[in-house]
């Protein structure tokens, strides 16, 4: 049962993580990069998920020391890797179903919020709809979990990122 709960946590992390990623040329690429970081538990890829100036503002907002934040996050990733090693098999498949770029009126609320963290203007906002399936095998028994999620992504200085509030580790 503990393993099943762990899998569900990872699926939720993957789902949530699809909401903050960076340096990508399209809304879909932003989502795919986040999924890669979370699915592979790629701690080294996390810093690329947001513009550096946004990280700095988030440290201040969370009232946390930058080094402490990264040390704690590394520990969380390492713990999750240890839990995932208990599975005989683990896989996450996803399918991007739709990308809806918001018009200026619909994007205004998100843009205003994001620009509190950024020096330059957010140039576009979109919603990416994703379907995910996590499959695990524990003691020879295969289980499958499905979820759908919409993720807010934004364009900043020519790259697309997923909204930071939806990062599973924030």
């Amino acid at each position: 049962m503990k393993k099943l709960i762990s899998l569900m946590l990872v699926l939720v992390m993957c789902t949530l993580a699809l909401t903050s990623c960076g340096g990508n040329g399209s809304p879909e690429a932003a989502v795919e990069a986040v999924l890669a970081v979370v699915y592979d538990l790629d701690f080294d890829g996390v810093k690329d998920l947001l513009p550096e100036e946004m990280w700095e503002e988030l440290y201040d907002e969370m009232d946390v020391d930058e080094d402490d934040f990264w040390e704690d996050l590394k520990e969380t990733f390492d713990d999750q890797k240890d839990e995932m090693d208990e599975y005989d098999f683990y896989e996450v498949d996803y399918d991007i179903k739709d990308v809806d770029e918001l018009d200026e009126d619909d994007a205004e609320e998100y843009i205003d919020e994001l620009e509190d963290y950024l020096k330059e203007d957010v140039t576009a906002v979109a919603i990416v709809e994703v379907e995910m399936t996590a499959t695990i095998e524990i003691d020879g028994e295969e289980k499958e979990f499905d979820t759908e999620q919409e993720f807010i992504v934004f364009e900043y200085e020519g790259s697309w990122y997923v909204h930071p509030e939806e990062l599973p580790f924030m």
Side-chain angles (χ1 to χ4, degrees):
M1 184 61 151
K2 181 180 176 186
K3 290 179 182 181
L4 193 56
I5 291 169
S6 259
L7 169 69
M8 292 171 64
L9 174 64
V10 169
L11 182 60
V12 169
M13 283 180 65
C14 289
T15 301
L16 293 175
L18 290 175
T19 48
S20 190
C21 121
N24 298 290
S26 71
E28 298 92 336
V31 169
E32 290 168 350
V34 167
L35 185 57
V37 165
V38 173
Y39 174 65
D40 295 336
L41 292 170
D42 176 19
F43 174 77
D44 294 330
V46 174
K47 268 201 173 177
D48 296 332
L49 297 180
L50 294 173
E52 181 59 36
E53 67 191 80
M54 184 171 266
W55 281 117
E56 292 167 12
E57 290 295 324
L58 289 169
Y59 304 140
D60 289 343
E61 183 178 288
M62 294 183 299
D63 193 29
V64 62
D65 175 76
E66 179 179 353
D67 292 335
D68 290 342
F69 173 82
W70 292 106
E71 185 177 310
D72 290 347
L73 185 59
K74 174 80 168 113
E75 186 176 315
T76 300
F77 268 66
D78 289 344
D79 290 347
Q80 192 63 46
K81 280 183 182 180
D82 291 343
E83 287 186 33
M84 296 309 298
D85 287 343
E86 296 179 25
Y87 299 122
D88 299 327
F89 175 78
Y90 174 78
E91 178 178 85
V92 175
D93 294 313
Y94 66 93
D95 185 25
I96 295 176
K97 291 297 192 183
D98 189 36
V99 178
D100 180 24
E101 259 194 72
L102 302 180
D103 64 31
E104 190 173 316
D105 290 337
D106 291 337
E108 183 177 3
E109 174 186 342
Y110 300 113
I111 290 172
D112 289 345
E113 178 182 307
L114 290 162
E115 288 181 348
D116 288 343
Y117 300 100
L118 301 166
K119 295 175 187 156
E120 302 296 325
D121 291 340
V122 171
T123 53
V125 176
I127 296 180
V128 179
E129 182 182 327
V130 179
E131 286 183 359
M132 292 178 42
T133 300
T135 306
I136 62 165
E137 186 177 317
I138 304 172
D139 299 327
E141 185 178 342
E142 191 172 285
K143 301 225 185 257
E144 198 171 275
F145 302 90
D146 298 314
T147 187
E148 291 184 17
Q149 183 79 31
E150 289 184 342
F151 301 97
I152 301 161
V153 298
F154 64 97
E155 186 178 34
Y156 177 71
E157 295 185 339
S159 293
W160 285 88
Y161 301 87
V162 183
H163 197 290
E165 287 186 2
E166 298 183 51
L167 281 172
F169 40 81
M170 297 298 288

